[in-house]
Amino acid sequence: MVRLPDSITSLYNLQTLILSECDCLRELPKDLGDLVNLRHLILPGKYPMMHKMPLQFGNLTNLQTLTEFSMGLHTSDSSSIRELRDLSQLRGTLRISKLENVSNTGTDAMEANLKNKPHLRELGLCWSYYGSKDRFPDSRDEKVEESVLDQLQPHTNLEMLRIVNYGGARFPSWVGHHSFSNLVAVILSSCHKCVVLPYLRQLPSLKHLMIDSCNAVKLTCNESYRDHSSVNKQFRSLETLVICVMTEWEDWSEVVEEEQDGEEFPCLHKLTIRNCPKLRRVSHRFSSLGTMTIEKCNELRELPKLLPSLQQLRIEKCEKLAVLPSFPSIQKLALEACHQITTLSSSDS
């Protein structure tokens, strides 16, 4: 079924519409906004996604559950992102997709009024896929996308944020601002043109961070994003960190600040680094790290000298790594295609 029948809009008392198994669904009835009593709209979660949302979608002011809002092209029968403005009862998880279709100036994004949705817990802000920073579509504008993301600032009650295929060169200041004190998980994926990452260390509750295919980034943070009024200069709650496909990332050295007390990642338990071909050095203290996986980092030469809590280590295809760290608690060690490794660091060196 590609499109729901229009007759469904005559069910004026309908409160729940579950379409999660309708993977072929592309379009909703044009008069869906007539279902003013609708509280829960659960759309398919698999690709391909909805083409667009119908006009007058904003009439559904009683809506509490909306899994996806898909932006259509600028046509007379396609809704604007401003249809989200009065849906203040939305809660749980919302994904806004095809954000490249927001108006050319990007000003419509502010009218979505995400700041006025305090019950949302998980938010996905997604543009359509593009291959790399060198294959950015002519139809998309870097500055417009920066403006759109800036204006889509959500309420600070948010617990999980996912940004996918964003085409701006920088993230707005709200991404990583310490006022998002409930934010537990952040995923930045395929933001190919971004040259620096937001200053995420200020998020006091952040436990899970994934950075994937942000392949223009050379540094893992930017001091210009720092809010100097914040006392938190560490990833004090971070437990899992995954970094993948960072093709320009060269060095990961510990940030040491005069007022900083202790290490940068005091609670980090699981670290995964994959496909970072230019990364040469990882020189942090990881006193709590229990599991570390490093794969396909061909230029990697240096790891921390001591990993006192490490129990599982896997290193694969790191051809220039010659010295392993000291790991007095190791239980499982896997080395594959690391032919230069000949030495184990001394814990007192």
Side-chain angles (χ1 to χ4, degrees):
M1 179 172 59
V2 175
R3 188 177 187 276
L4 285 180
D6 290 335
S7 58
I8 201 170
T9 61
S10 64
L11 303 176
Y12 298 116
N13 294 317
L14 189 67
Q15 294 188 14
T16 301
L17 180 56
I18 300 175
L19 304 168
S20 56
E21 300 301 320
C22 302
D23 293 335
C24 295
L25 188 67
R26 303 291 191 280
E27 193 172 342
L28 295 169
K30 61 183 178 62
D31 294 324
L32 189 73
D34 291 345
L35 297 178
V36 293
N37 292 305
L38 193 64
R39 284 171 169 77
H40 308 285
L41 177 57
I42 302 175
L43 295 171
K46 300 178 181 178
Y47 293 96
M49 300 174 294
M50 300 291 300
H51 283 328
K52 60 184 178 181
M53 309 305 283
L55 291 172
Q56 308 304 318
F57 191 88
N59 291 344
L60 304 177
T61 55
N62 288 309
L63 206 60
Q64 297 178 14
T65 303
L66 174 62
T67 53
E68 177 157 358
F69 187 92
S70 183
M71 293 294 305
L73 293 170
H74 310 301
T75 61
S76 59
D77 63 345
S78 178
S79 65
S80 164
I81 195 171
R82 68 184 64 173
E83 298 286 344
L84 290 170
R85 179 180 55 195
D86 297 322
L87 306 187
S88 59
Q89 296 189 49
L90 287 178
R91 60 197 64 223
T93 300
L94 171 64
R95 169 189 167 106
I96 307 176
S97 60
K98 300 183 181 179
L99 279 167
E100 70 277 6
N101 291 329
V102 175
S103 67
N104 289 335
T105 61
T107 55
D108 282 357
M110 183 175 292
E111 297 195 44
N113 201 14
L114 294 186
K115 281 186 177 181
N116 193 36
K117 295 169 178 47
H119 307 297
L120 278 180
R121 293 296 176 261
E122 299 184 10
L123 177 65
L125 300 175
C126 307
W127 286 255
S128 293
Y129 175 78
Y130 64 101
S132 73
K133 62 178 180 178
D134 300 319
R135 295 203 297 272
F136 194 60
D138 293 337
S139 60
R140 291 170 59 175
D141 186 294
E142 172 185 312
K143 294 302 181 183
V144 169
E145 299 198 8
E146 289 178 0
S147 175
V148 168
L149 184 57
D150 187 26
Q151 295 174 59
L152 287 176
Q153 180 175 341
H155 195 280
T156 55
N157 284 346
L158 200 69
E159 295 177 2
M160 179 176 179
L161 174 66
R162 182 184 182 100
I163 300 175
V164 181
N165 298 323
Y166 168 58
R170 293 179 176 271
F171 290 93
S173 60
W174 68 260
V175 181
H177 193 274
H178 65 87
S179 61
F180 285 82
S181 58
N182 295 320
L183 203 57
V184 173
V186 173
I187 298 174
L188 307 176
S189 178
S190 298
C191 303
H192 297 296
K193 291 178 71 67
C194 287
V195 294
V196 288
L197 298 178
Y199 200 77
L200 298 171
R201 72 182 63 232
Q202 295 186 130
L203 298 172
S205 300
L206 185 65
K207 292 184 177 181
H208 310 288
L209 173 60
M210 181 175 183
I211 303 170
D212 182 16
S213 300
C214 298
N215 50 16
V217 173
K218 292 186 178 182
L219 301 174
T220 53
C221 68
N222 182 10
E223 294 300 314
S224 66
Y225 282 103
R226 182 174 58 185
D227 182 344
H228 293 278
S229 66
S230 173
V231 297
N232 176 33
K233 302 298 190 296
Q234 303 163 324
F235 288 94
R236 66 185 185 193
S237 300
L238 196 67
E239 296 177 0
T240 62
L241 174 59
V242 178
I243 303 177
C244 300
V245 195
M246 300 270 281
T247 57
E248 297 299 319
W249 188 32
E250 297 178 355
D251 186 275
W252 190 22
S253 299
E254 187 166 24
V255 176
V256 179
E257 303 186 34
E258 291 182 2
E259 71 273 29
Q260 183 167 306
D261 180 21
E263 64 184 274
E264 194 174 355
F265 297 91
C267 295
L268 190 67
H269 181 72
K270 185 175 182 179
L271 172 64
T272 301
I273 302 175
R274 291 193 177 101
N275 293 75
C276 299
K278 293 185 179 181
L279 180 64
R280 298 188 302 269
R281 180 174 62 167
V282 177
S283 59
H284 285 264
R285 290 171 290 167
F286 295 118
S287 62
S288 300
L289 192 64
T291 302
M292 182 164 69
T293 300
I294 300 181
E295 299 176 358
K296 298 180 181 179
C297 298
N298 297 331
E299 292 296 320
L300 186 65
R301 291 171 167 83
E302 181 180 338
L303 290 174
K305 294 182 178 180
L306 173 62
L307 296 170
S309 301
L310 195 69
Q311 297 181 352
Q312 298 185 46
L313 173 63
R314 176 179 178 84
I315 303 178
E316 177 182 336
K317 295 183 180 178
C318 298
E319 292 287 349
K320 296 186 179 180
L321 184 64
V323 180
L324 286 179
S326 176
F327 28 64
S329 303
I330 197 71
Q331 296 179 4
K332 183 176 181 180
L333 174 63
L335 303 175
E336 181 177 338
C338 301
H339 305 298
Q340 300 299 317
I341 294 178
T342 59
T343 306
L344 182 68
S345 289
S346 173
S347 61
D348 58 0
S349 62

